[in-house]
Amino acid sequence: MVLEHLQHAEAAWESNRAASTTPWLFAGLNPARPIQSQYIYLKLRRLGLGGLAGRNTARLALAADVPASILAALTGTSIDNATDWANLVKRNWTDYIASRKDS
């Protein structure tokens, strides 16, 4: 499906080369502009491919590996939300933070 889409995107770009120097993988109505992320989300939902489960799984994996403050910065969420995610994976970073403070 991706290869078919890529061939279609390249064909659309070829017909309007002046619009951009390189083709977008997911071109918008104007070949020089990318498609909006909301539109991709809607197309994937129609195909039964939701992104929420994958995003949550990635966030849980990240919450297991980094402190809540870093998780919040990386994901653009609040510290409270990141702390909730860290609590879901039962990872407690207070000992790590205390050891960093002493050294």
Side-chain angles (χ1 to χ4, degrees):
M1 182 169 54
V2 173
L3 291 175
E4 182 179 316
H5 178 79
L6 182 58
Q7 291 171 350
H8 176 70
E10 286 178 355
W13 178 72
E14 287 290 332
S15 67
N16 193 0
R17 251 185 207 262
S20 176
T21 56
T22 57
W24 289 95
L25 177 58
F26 297 104
L29 291 175
N30 177 352
R33 308 262 323 166
I35 196 169
Q36 292 184 353
S37 59
Q38 295 89 349
Y39 185 69
I40 291 176
Y41 175 75
L42 290 174
K43 287 184 86 165
L44 290 173
R45 293 289 296 167
R46 280 189 218 125
L47 295 171
L49 303 170
L52 186 60
R55 183 180 66 198
N56 287 346
T57 302
R59 192 170 287 174
L60 281 172
L62 190 58
D65 292 335
V66 298
S69 58
I70 295 173
L71 178 65
L74 288 175
T75 59
T77 188
S78 69
I79 292 288
D80 291 335
N81 190 2
T83 303
D84 291 343
W85 282 98
N87 289 337
L88 282 173
V89 294
K90 306 293 187 221
R91 189 69 186 246
N92 188 345
W93 288 92
T94 53
D95 294 337
Y96 171 77
I97 294 169
S99 71
R100 294 283 299 179
K101 187 175 182 181
D102 292 338
S103 58

